[in-house]
Amino acid sequence: MPGRMPGLGAIHTVEDVNARIASPHTADWPLVLGLGAFALVRPAIRIVEDRAGLDLSPTAPIAATIAVTVVWIAAAVLTRVRDPLTTLLYTGLTYGLLSIVLSAVLSPLLLGHLEGPLARPLTIVAVLIVNAIWGLIAGAIALMIQRARRDATGGTP
């Protein structure tokens, strides 16, 4: 049916899109906050590696990112969130904000001076954009999985 996207409701205008997608009202906020905090495992790995004098392979951060992404997608699908795209978009933004705060708190303690996005404010926008895109990609995958599961079961997720 023209103007209709399965699982998103009637989409006729840009206002419809804006009202439906990325609305804070459609996000599952407890899940957003929990998954955003969970993703702090990524910088934690780097901190432990640095403090312990370890030299993990360059694949460690990539593996951590993949693992976090899988957890985000699985959580959105298994909890059957109403809007995985928006929920994981805000999860990415939450992680971005938490990582900025973590950097601001830990860098003076561990390095003796401020490092990270707050030391270079122009990078704050880049951090938020990159993590929003990460969340959108994970959300799109979760949405596709939800739709496939719904289609496979005849309408029930």
Side-chain angles (χ1 to χ4, degrees), residues 9 12 21 23 26 31 35 40-41 50 62-63 69-70 72-73 84 98 112 121 123 132-133 138 143 145 147 156:
H12 299 287
I21 297 174
S23 169
T26 62
L31 192 62
L35 293 175
L40 290 174
V41 71
D50 184 57
I62 295 169
T69 305
V70 168
W72 284 5
I73 293 167
L98 291 173
T123 62
I133 291 168
L143 183 60
I145 294 169
R147 287 180 181 168
T156 56

Side-chain angles (χ1 to χ4, degrees), residues 22-102:
S23 169
H25 303 293
T26 62
D28 182 331
W29 284 101
L31 192 62
V32 165
L33 297 174
L35 293 175
F38 171 74
L40 290 174
V41 71
R42 292 180 66 239
I45 290 170
R46 306 269 322 207
I47 291 167
V48 169
E49 174 187 18
D50 184 57
R51 300 307 293 175
L54 299 174
D55 189 21
L56 298 178
S57 75
T59 58
I62 295 169
T65 300
I66 292 169
V68 167
T69 305
V70 168
V71 168
W72 284 5
I73 293 167
V77 170
L78 295 175
T79 62
R80 298 179 179 161
V81 294
R82 182 174 74 151
D83 188 352
L85 194 66
T86 301
T87 296
L88 294 181
L89 164 68
Y90 284 113
T91 297
L93 287 170
T94 298
Y95 165 70
L97 288 171
L98 291 173
S99 67
I100 290 168
V101 170
L102 184 68

